[in-house]
Amino acid sequence: MNELITQINDAIWGYVLIGVLIICGIWFTWKTKGVQFRMVGEMLRLLADSATSGTDSLSDKDKNHKHISSFQAFAVSVATRVGTGNLAGVATAIAIGGPGAVFWMWVIALIGSATAFIESTLGQLYKQRQKDSFVGGPAYYIKRGLHCNWMAYLFAVLITITFGLSYNSIQSNTICGAMYEAFGWNPLLVGSILSVVALIIIFGGLQRIANVSAVMVPLMAIGYFVLVMVIIIMNIEHIPHVLKVIITNAFGLEQGVGGTIGATIMNGVKRGLFSNEAGEGSAPNVAAAATVSHPVKQGLIQALGVFTDTLLVCSCTAFMILISGLYSTPELNGIALTQAALNSEIGAFGPTFIAIAILLFAFSSIIGNYYYGEANIRFMTSSNAVLTVYRVFSGGVLVMFGAMASLEIVWNLGDLCMAMLTACNLVAIVRLGKYAFKLLEDYRQQKRSGIKEPTFHRSQMPEIEKDLMCWE
């Protein structure tokens, strides 16, 4: 059974979805005139303003309504993106595909950020108001935009299973394994503590999840970045050689670990897509929850999240591994390669640091993954009893299961569900993308006319005004 699922995953991801995701990224980059390059300054301004003020240019109605800021929504989405894949996935890509895989990870991040902009802008456009916050995502814009109920419910089920349940087991398993290797702690004990803390945060609702993520994400990302930057500065004379190895291996000009250029490109692209999630339909769920004055604002901020994940955190891991020179050691792969690389640079503290980093990275992913499921549970039903059962399973039962289980089959099932929900999302954003293009042009026109904080009203899109539940 597991072998069959693996073969199906290899066929879908290796020959279909990766190509489609790349084509969509190039298409969206062209149609938005390179929004991810031209508007980086605006992305940083919006994120900084939201982080310092916590509010946007809100209507009186929105100011009296519970909301999360753009920065908090950004933090929750980065919490799910920045996880064990940034530490173990990058190492696997280099071990299998060679140093050149890093270059193709960068390429897919630059292309994919345009896709991330489109899906998160659509998430904002089609969001709905709940009593505690806004809610939205692909299930909502598939239903309201495409008027395709069966696909919307299929997406909602798939993302709830994938992120809220199976991926939380995987994160828990990774944490418990790292704690056991570093400190010898019993997985049952670690799993119990994780479950209790996760449930406390989860039952606090989106506001508590956002508040915790807003503190944890900057802490873990900055801490990891600072440590790796120290290592890079200590080895600054090796950086030109590292860059040369990445570029030459990326185009097959220099044979390296991983063999063919096909393996290099495939592993770089595949790991990059799995890491930054652009096009998979996950980030729009939390992007829709932010309270902003124009949908494009959150689209820009979420596009920045792709850069944060791949160009910053993944690059940190890659540089550290390549500086160490251990990537050509056959028996080292995954997290073991990352730990060995860090150990070679800073000594015995390395494995301990990685264990702590994995704890923060993976736990933030647990609570972020949970919210993706909650947003889609709310789409399918208004029953508080169903939501409570989901909370117990996501934060308690599956976290404990992950602490004790071998999860190869869960990983493979999760990847299969991810492929199916990605396909649903891509169909939707390709067909609805024209509205995101129109919103972007409106935003740019308002900025050109001297308006610092552009606003949007649904009457500006009379062709779909009846489908929009907010923006009155």
Side-chain angles (χ1 to χ4, degrees):
M1 179 66 177
N2 186 49
E3 184 177 344
L4 175 62
I5 295 173
T6 300
Q7 291 175 353
I8 294 173
N9 279 334
D10 288 345
I12 294 175
W13 281 105
Y15 300 102
V16 181
L17 275 181
I18 287 181
V20 173
L21 282 163
I22 292 173
I23 291 171
C24 287
I26 294 173
W27 165 255
F28 291 136
T29 297
W30 178 58
K31 293 295 290 185
T32 60
K33 302 175 183 177
V35 63
Q36 70 269 44
F37 308 119
R38 296 177 60 189
M39 301 188 73
V40 172
E42 181 70 359
M43 295 176 192
L44 294 172
R45 183 192 72 81
L46 290 169
L47 187 64
D49 287 351
S50 178
T52 54
S53 68
T55 59
D56 199 335
S57 301
L58 309 179
S59 66
D60 292 337
K61 183 175 182 179
D62 281 336
K63 287 179 179 177
N64 294 325
H65 180 266
K66 287 184 178 181
H67 67 273
I68 67 170
S69 68
S70 290
F71 177 77
Q72 289 174 318
F74 171 83
V76 174
S77 66
V78 171
T80 64
R81 286 189 175 113
V82 178
T84 55
N86 298 82
L87 301 179
V90 175
T92 300
I94 294 173
I96 298 175
V102 178
F103 175 84
W104 296 108
M105 288 179 67
W106 292 339
V107 170
I108 203 62
L110 294 173
I111 295 173
S113 56
T115 306
F117 166 79
I118 297 296
E119 62 182 359
S120 291
T121 300
L122 290 172
Q124 270 286 323
L125 180 64
Y126 286 96
K127 68 184 180 181
Q128 296 179 196
R129 192 187 302 275
Q130 299 275 318
K131 67 174 184 177
D132 292 331
S133 64
F134 292 108
V135 66
Y140 293 82
Y141 56 68
I142 290 172
K143 180 179 180 179
R144 305 293 306 182
L146 296 184
H147 305 287
C148 187
N149 285 348
W150 71 266
M151 186 187 293
Y153 279 94
L154 174 62
F155 182 92
V157 170
L158 290 172
I159 196 170
T160 301
I161 293 173
T162 305
F163 280 89
L165 300 177
S166 69
Y167 277 16
N168 273 3
S169 296
I170 293 165
Q171 299 293 347
S172 172
N173 183 264
T174 305
I175 292 173
C176 292
M179 294 297 107
Y180 180 79
E181 290 296 326
F183 309 112
W185 292 352
N186 189 310
L188 180 61
L189 174 63
V190 176
S192 300
I193 295 172
L194 287 175
S195 294
V196 170
V197 177
L199 287 170
I200 290 172
I201 296 172
I202 284 170
F203 272 91
L206 178 57
Q207 277 71 34
R208 187 175 296 173
I209 293 172
N211 289 335
V212 171
S213 297
V215 174
M216 185 178 289
V217 168
L219 176 67
M220 69 183 189
I222 292 173
Y224 188 63
F225 177 73
V226 168
L227 177 65
V228 177
M229 285 305 299
V230 169
I231 293 173
I232 290 174
I233 292 172
M234 291 170 57
N235 295 273
I236 194 69
E237 69 276 9
H238 299 303
I239 298 304
H241 175 70
V242 167
L243 292 172
K244 179 183 177 182
V245 168
I246 290 174
I247 299 300
T248 54
N249 186 248
F251 295 97
L253 302 178
E254 176 182 297
Q255 187 175 2
V257 179
T260 67
I261 186 173
T264 299
I265 296 174
M266 184 61 67
N267 278 279
V269 170
K270 194 173 184 179
R271 295 299 174 182
L273 289 171
F274 270 115
S275 179
N276 62 51
E277 300 178 9
E280 292 176 353
S282 51
N285 292 276
V286 70
T291 306
V292 292
S293 64
H294 197 291
V296 164
K297 289 186 174 183
Q298 200 60 31
L300 291 172
I301 288 177
Q302 295 305 133
L304 187 63
V306 174
F307 291 157
T308 303
D309 172 85
T310 306
L311 299 185
L312 182 61
V313 182
C314 287
S315 294
C316 283
T317 302
F319 272 72
M320 181 175 64
I321 290 171
L322 295 176
I323 287 172
S324 74
L326 296 174
Y327 60 89
S328 58
T329 306
E331 61 270 20
L332 291 178
N333 196 352
I335 197 65
L337 175 55
T338 306
Q339 287 178 310
L342 196 56
N343 184 67
S344 72
E345 298 300 324
I346 63 175
F349 176 66
T352 300
F353 178 84
I354 289 296
I356 295 171
I358 285 176
L359 173 63
L360 293 175
F361 281 33
F363 184 77
S364 67
S365 293
I366 287 175
I367 60 176
N369 288 344
Y370 156 80
Y371 177 71
Y372 291 162
E374 178 183 312
N376 288 275
I377 290 288
R378 292 184 181 277
F379 171 80
M380 292 183 284
T381 178
S382 59
S383 171
N384 288 328
V386 173
L387 183 59
T388 299
V389 171
Y390 166 70
R391 285 173 169 172
V392 172
F393 268 84
S394 180
V397 175
L398 270 296
V399 170
M400 278 300 300
F401 172 74
M404 306 303 297
S406 173
L407 293 182
E408 184 180 4
I409 184 67
V410 179
W411 255 117
N412 287 329
L413 284 171
D415 289 345
L416 182 59
C417 289
M418 178 67 77
M420 295 171 67
L421 68 89
T422 301
C424 290
N425 185 54
L426 289 177
V427 169
I429 63 177
V430 167
R431 292 179 60 184
L432 298 173
K434 57 186 177 182
Y435 302 121
F437 305 150
K438 185 174 180 179
L439 286 167
L440 178 60
E441 183 57 32
D442 173 69
Y443 188 88
R444 284 171 167 163
Q445 285 182 355
Q446 291 191 49
K447 293 290 290 186
R448 284 194 293 265
S449 67
I451 299 173
K452 182 181 179 182
E453 301 294 347
T455 58
F456 172 73
H457 189 281
R458 63 189 182 192
S459 62
Q460 294 172 240
M461 288 188 167
E463 67 273 31
I464 59 169
E465 183 176 358
K466 63 178 175 31
D467 296 327
L468 305 182
M469 305 300 289
C470 295
W471 307 107
E472 59 277 314

PDB file of all heavy atoms in Angstrom, residues 57-67 127 129 134 291-293 471-472:
ATOM      1  N   SER A  57      -5.667  51.066   8.004  1.00  0.00           N
ATOM      2  CA  SER A  57      -6.649  52.130   7.832  1.00  0.00           C
ATOM      3  C   SER A  57      -8.029  51.488   7.836  1.00  0.00           C
ATOM      4  O   SER A  57      -8.598  51.172   6.795  1.00  0.00           O
ATOM      5  CB  SER A  57      -6.386  52.877   6.518  1.00  0.00           C
ATOM      6  OG  SER A  57      -5.101  53.421   6.499  1.00  0.00           O
ATOM      7  N   LEU A  58      -8.587  51.294   9.019  1.00  0.00           N
ATOM      8  CA  LEU A  58      -9.816  50.522   9.169  1.00  0.00           C
ATOM      9  C   LEU A  58     -11.032  51.415   9.263  1.00  0.00           C
ATOM     10  O   LEU A  58     -10.969  52.544   9.727  1.00  0.00           O
ATOM     11  CB  LEU A  58      -9.731  49.652  10.441  1.00  0.00           C
ATOM     12  CG  LEU A  58      -8.485  48.785  10.597  1.00  0.00           C
ATOM     13  CD1 LEU A  58      -8.561  48.029  11.912  1.00  0.00           C
ATOM     14  CD2 LEU A  58      -8.346  47.842   9.433  1.00  0.00           C
ATOM     15  N   SER A  59     -12.151  50.838   8.843  1.00  0.00           N
ATOM     16  CA  SER A  59     -13.423  51.520   9.022  1.00  0.00           C
ATOM     17  C   SER A  59     -13.809  51.461  10.491  1.00  0.00           C
ATOM     18  O   SER A  59     -13.277  50.671  11.264  1.00  0.00           O
ATOM     19  CB  SER A  59     -14.494  50.824   8.175  1.00  0.00           C
ATOM     20  OG  SER A  59     -14.726  49.518   8.660  1.00  0.00           O
ATOM     21  N   ASP A  60     -14.754  52.319  10.899  1.00  0.00           N
ATOM     22  CA  ASP A  60     -15.216  52.278  12.285  1.00  0.00           C
ATOM     23  C   ASP A  60     -15.779  50.910  12.633  1.00  0.00           C
ATOM     24  O   ASP A  60     -15.618  50.406  13.741  1.00  0.00           O
ATOM     25  CB  ASP A  60     -16.291  53.357  12.508  1.00  0.00           C
ATOM     26  CG  ASP A  60     -15.719  54.767  12.427  1.00  0.00           C
ATOM     27  OD1 ASP A  60     -14.491  54.902  12.652  1.00  0.00           O
ATOM     28  OD2 ASP A  60     -16.479  55.707  12.152  1.00  0.00           O
ATOM     29  N   LYS A  61     -16.453  50.281  11.650  1.00  0.00           N
ATOM     30  CA  LYS A  61     -17.024  48.961  11.896  1.00  0.00           C
ATOM     31  C   LYS A  61     -15.929  47.947  12.201  1.00  0.00           C
ATOM     32  O   LYS A  61     -16.038  47.125  13.117  1.00  0.00           O
ATOM     33  CB  LYS A  61     -17.834  48.519  10.678  1.00  0.00           C
ATOM     34  CG  LYS A  61     -18.533  47.170  10.866  1.00  0.00           C
ATOM     35  CD  LYS A  61     -19.406  46.860   9.666  1.00  0.00           C
ATOM     36  CE  LYS A  61     -20.166  45.549   9.846  1.00  0.00           C
ATOM     37  NZ  LYS A  61     -21.033  45.240   8.709  1.00  0.00           N
ATOM     38  N   ASP A  62     -14.824  48.011  11.435  1.00  0.00           N
ATOM     39  CA  ASP A  62     -13.744  47.070  11.644  1.00  0.00           C
ATOM     40  C   ASP A  62     -12.983  47.342  12.935  1.00  0.00           C
ATOM     41  O   ASP A  62     -12.484  46.432  13.584  1.00  0.00           O
ATOM     42  CB  ASP A  62     -12.773  47.110  10.461  1.00  0.00           C
ATOM     43  CG  ASP A  62     -13.306  46.340   9.272  1.00  0.00           C
ATOM     44  OD1 ASP A  62     -14.129  45.442   9.486  1.00  0.00           O
ATOM     45  OD2 ASP A  62     -12.906  46.637   8.142  1.00  0.00           O
ATOM     46  N   LYS A  63     -12.882  48.626  13.335  1.00  0.00           N
ATOM     47  CA  LYS A  63     -12.172  48.948  14.564  1.00  0.00           C
ATOM     48  C   LYS A  63     -12.902  48.422  15.786  1.00  0.00           C
ATOM     49  O   LYS A  63     -12.301  48.151  16.828  1.00  0.00           O
ATOM     50  CB  LYS A  63     -11.961  50.464  14.667  1.00  0.00           C
ATOM     51  CG  LYS A  63     -10.906  50.989  13.699  1.00  0.00           C
ATOM     52  CD  LYS A  63     -10.741  52.486  13.811  1.00  0.00           C
ATOM     53  CE  LYS A  63      -9.661  52.976  12.837  1.00  0.00           C
ATOM     54  NZ  LYS A  63      -9.505  54.440  12.866  1.00  0.00           N
ATOM     55  N   ASN A  64     -14.209  48.275  15.681  1.00  0.00           N
ATOM     56  CA  ASN A  64     -14.991  47.734  16.787  1.00  0.00           C
ATOM     57  C   ASN A  64     -15.109  46.213  16.726  1.00  0.00           C
ATOM     58  O   ASN A  64     -15.805  45.603  17.522  1.00  0.00           O
ATOM     59  CB  ASN A  64     -16.402  48.358  16.784  1.00  0.00           C
ATOM     60  CG  ASN A  64     -16.347  49.843  17.087  1.00  0.00           C
ATOM     61  OD1 ASN A  64     -15.521  50.292  17.867  1.00  0.00           O
ATOM     62  ND2 ASN A  64     -17.212  50.614  16.443  1.00  0.00           N
ATOM     63  N   HIS A  65     -14.429  45.600  15.749  1.00  0.00           N
ATOM     64  CA  HIS A  65     -14.549  44.170  15.495  1.00  0.00           C
ATOM     65  C   HIS A  65     -13.210  43.515  15.835  1.00  0.00           C
ATOM     66  O   HIS A  65     -12.152  44.074  15.582  1.00  0.00           O
ATOM     67  CB  HIS A  65     -14.876  43.976  14.012  1.00  0.00           C
ATOM     68  CG  HIS A  65     -15.023  42.555  13.594  1.00  0.00           C
ATOM     69  ND1 HIS A  65     -13.981  41.830  13.068  1.00  0.00           N
ATOM     70  CD2 HIS A  65     -16.089  41.722  13.622  1.00  0.00           C
ATOM     71  CE1 HIS A  65     -14.397  40.612  12.778  1.00  0.00           C
ATOM     72  NE2 HIS A  65     -15.667  40.517  13.103  1.00  0.00           N
ATOM     73  N   LYS A  66     -13.241  42.341  16.443  1.00  0.00           N
ATOM     74  CA  LYS A  66     -12.006  41.627  16.730  1.00  0.00           C
ATOM     75  C   LYS A  66     -11.286  41.352  15.419  1.00  0.00           C
ATOM     76  O   LYS A  66     -11.893  40.935  14.444  1.00  0.00           O
ATOM     77  CB  LYS A  66     -12.300  40.306  17.441  1.00  0.00           C
ATOM     78  CG  LYS A  66     -12.731  40.454  18.893  1.00  0.00           C
ATOM     79  CD  LYS A  66     -12.889  39.085  19.527  1.00  0.00           C
ATOM     80  CE  LYS A  66     -13.278  39.212  20.990  1.00  0.00           C
ATOM     81  NZ  LYS A  66     -13.422  37.872  21.625  1.00  0.00           N
ATOM     82  N   HIS A  67      -9.994  41.574  15.404  1.00  0.00           N
ATOM     83  CA  HIS A  67      -9.254  41.336  14.177  1.00  0.00           C
ATOM     84  C   HIS A  67      -7.809  40.975  14.499  1.00  0.00           C
ATOM     85  O   HIS A  67      -7.344  41.178  15.615  1.00  0.00           O
ATOM     86  CB  HIS A  67      -9.291  42.574  13.280  1.00  0.00           C
ATOM     87  CG  HIS A  67      -8.552  43.738  13.852  1.00  0.00           C
ATOM     88  ND1 HIS A  67      -9.138  44.624  14.715  1.00  0.00           N
ATOM     89  CD2 HIS A  67      -7.258  44.150  13.695  1.00  0.00           C
ATOM     90  CE1 HIS A  67      -8.239  45.543  15.073  1.00  0.00           C
ATOM     91  NE2 HIS A  67      -7.111  45.281  14.468  1.00  0.00           N
ATOM     92  N   LYS A 127     -13.177  36.814   1.426  1.00  0.00           N
ATOM     93  CA  LYS A 127     -13.295  36.452   2.846  1.00  0.00           C
ATOM     94  C   LYS A 127     -14.703  36.753   3.371  1.00  0.00           C
ATOM     95  O   LYS A 127     -15.475  37.512   2.771  1.00  0.00           O
ATOM     96  CB  LYS A 127     -12.260  37.207   3.673  1.00  0.00           C
ATOM     97  CG  LYS A 127     -12.497  38.716   3.767  1.00  0.00           C
ATOM     98  CD  LYS A 127     -11.363  39.381   4.527  1.00  0.00           C
ATOM     99  CE  LYS A 127     -11.580  40.898   4.644  1.00  0.00           C
ATOM    100  NZ  LYS A 127     -10.478  41.564   5.370  1.00  0.00           N
ATOM    101  N   ARG A 129     -17.038  37.462   7.201  1.00  0.00           N
ATOM    102  CA  ARG A 129     -16.915  37.914   8.582  1.00  0.00           C
ATOM    103  C   ARG A 129     -17.519  36.883   9.536  1.00  0.00           C
ATOM    104  O   ARG A 129     -18.649  36.448   9.371  1.00  0.00           O
ATOM    105  CB  ARG A 129     -17.625  39.260   8.764  1.00  0.00           C
ATOM    106  CG  ARG A 129     -17.305  39.955  10.075  1.00  0.00           C
ATOM    107  CD  ARG A 129     -18.186  41.197  10.248  1.00  0.00           C
ATOM    108  NE  ARG A 129     -18.003  42.140   9.147  1.00  0.00           N
ATOM    109  CZ  ARG A 129     -17.042  43.052   9.104  1.00  0.00           C
ATOM    110  NH1 ARG A 129     -16.167  43.132  10.097  1.00  0.00           N
ATOM    111  NH2 ARG A 129     -16.945  43.886   8.087  1.00  0.00           N
ATOM    112  N   PHE A 134     -12.220  37.466  10.669  1.00  0.00           N
ATOM    113  CA  PHE A 134     -12.548  37.128   9.289  1.00  0.00           C
ATOM    114  C   PHE A 134     -12.074  35.704   9.022  1.00  0.00           C
ATOM    115  O   PHE A 134     -11.176  35.187   9.690  1.00  0.00           O
ATOM    116  CB  PHE A 134     -11.861  38.085   8.320  1.00  0.00           C
ATOM    117  CG  PHE A 134     -12.374  39.488   8.383  1.00  0.00           C
ATOM    118  CD1 PHE A 134     -11.609  40.499   8.946  1.00  0.00           C
ATOM    119  CD2 PHE A 134     -13.624  39.806   7.874  1.00  0.00           C
ATOM    120  CE1 PHE A 134     -12.077  41.794   9.001  1.00  0.00           C
ATOM    121  CE2 PHE A 134     -14.107  41.107   7.927  1.00  0.00           C
ATOM    122  CZ  PHE A 134     -13.331  42.102   8.502  1.00  0.00           C
ATOM    123  N   THR A 291      -7.177  41.991   8.913  1.00  0.00           N
ATOM    124  CA  THR A 291      -8.030  43.149   8.651  1.00  0.00           C
ATOM    125  C   THR A 291      -7.198  44.223   7.963  1.00  0.00           C
ATOM    126  O   THR A 291      -6.280  44.785   8.566  1.00  0.00           O
ATOM    127  CB  THR A 291      -8.608  43.703   9.963  1.00  0.00           C
ATOM    128  OG1 THR A 291      -9.272  42.651  10.658  1.00  0.00           O
ATOM    129  CG2 THR A 291      -9.594  44.832   9.690  1.00  0.00           C
ATOM    130  N   VAL A 292      -7.480  44.464   6.690  1.00  0.00           N
ATOM    131  CA  VAL A 292      -6.749  45.454   5.904  1.00  0.00           C
ATOM    132  C   VAL A 292      -7.737  46.305   5.115  1.00  0.00           C
ATOM    133  O   VAL A 292      -8.907  45.954   4.978  1.00  0.00           O
ATOM    134  CB  VAL A 292      -5.754  44.780   4.926  1.00  0.00           C
ATOM    135  CG1 VAL A 292      -4.625  44.106   5.688  1.00  0.00           C
ATOM    136  CG2 VAL A 292      -6.462  43.753   4.044  1.00  0.00           C
ATOM    137  N   SER A 293      -7.248  47.406   4.587  1.00  0.00           N
ATOM    138  CA  SER A 293      -8.131  48.308   3.854  1.00  0.00           C
ATOM    139  C   SER A 293      -8.211  47.988   2.367  1.00  0.00           C
ATOM    140  O   SER A 293      -9.059  48.522   1.657  1.00  0.00           O
ATOM    141  CB  SER A 293      -7.654  49.752   4.027  1.00  0.00           C
ATOM    142  OG  SER A 293      -6.361  49.931   3.453  1.00  0.00           O
ATOM    143  N   TRP A 471     -16.144  43.984   2.431  1.00  0.00           N
ATOM    144  CA  TRP A 471     -15.786  45.156   1.620  1.00  0.00           C
ATOM    145  C   TRP A 471     -16.975  46.043   1.312  1.00  0.00           C
ATOM    146  O   TRP A 471     -17.038  46.696   0.294  1.00  0.00           O
ATOM    147  CB  TRP A 471     -15.104  44.735   0.304  1.00  0.00           C
ATOM    148  CG  TRP A 471     -13.942  43.826   0.531  1.00  0.00           C
ATOM    149  CD1 TRP A 471     -13.889  42.488   0.274  1.00  0.00           C
ATOM    150  CD2 TRP A 471     -12.681  44.181   1.104  1.00  0.00           C
ATOM    151  NE1 TRP A 471     -12.670  41.978   0.634  1.00  0.00           N
ATOM    152  CE2 TRP A 471     -11.913  42.993   1.143  1.00  0.00           C
ATOM    153  CE3 TRP A 471     -12.126  45.369   1.572  1.00  0.00           C
ATOM    154  CZ2 TRP A 471     -10.613  42.976   1.663  1.00  0.00           C
ATOM    155  CZ3 TRP A 471     -10.859  45.343   2.080  1.00  0.00           C
ATOM    156  CH2 TRP A 471     -10.101  44.176   2.124  1.00  0.00           C
ATOM    157  N   GLU A 472     -17.963  46.097   2.254  1.00  0.00           N
ATOM    158  CA  GLU A 472     -19.097  46.980   2.039  1.00  0.00           C
ATOM    159  C   GLU A 472     -18.708  48.406   2.403  1.00  0.00           C
ATOM    160  O   GLU A 472     -17.807  48.639   3.164  1.00  0.00           O
ATOM    161  CB  GLU A 472     -20.296  46.540   2.895  1.00  0.00           C
ATOM    162  CG  GLU A 472     -20.054  46.513   4.375  1.00  0.00           C
ATOM    163  CD  GLU A 472     -19.372  45.222   4.845  1.00  0.00           C
ATOM    164  OE1 GLU A 472     -19.762  44.135   4.446  1.00  0.00           O
ATOM    165  OE2 GLU A 472     -18.368  45.368   5.587  1.00  0.00           O
TER     166      GLU A 472
END
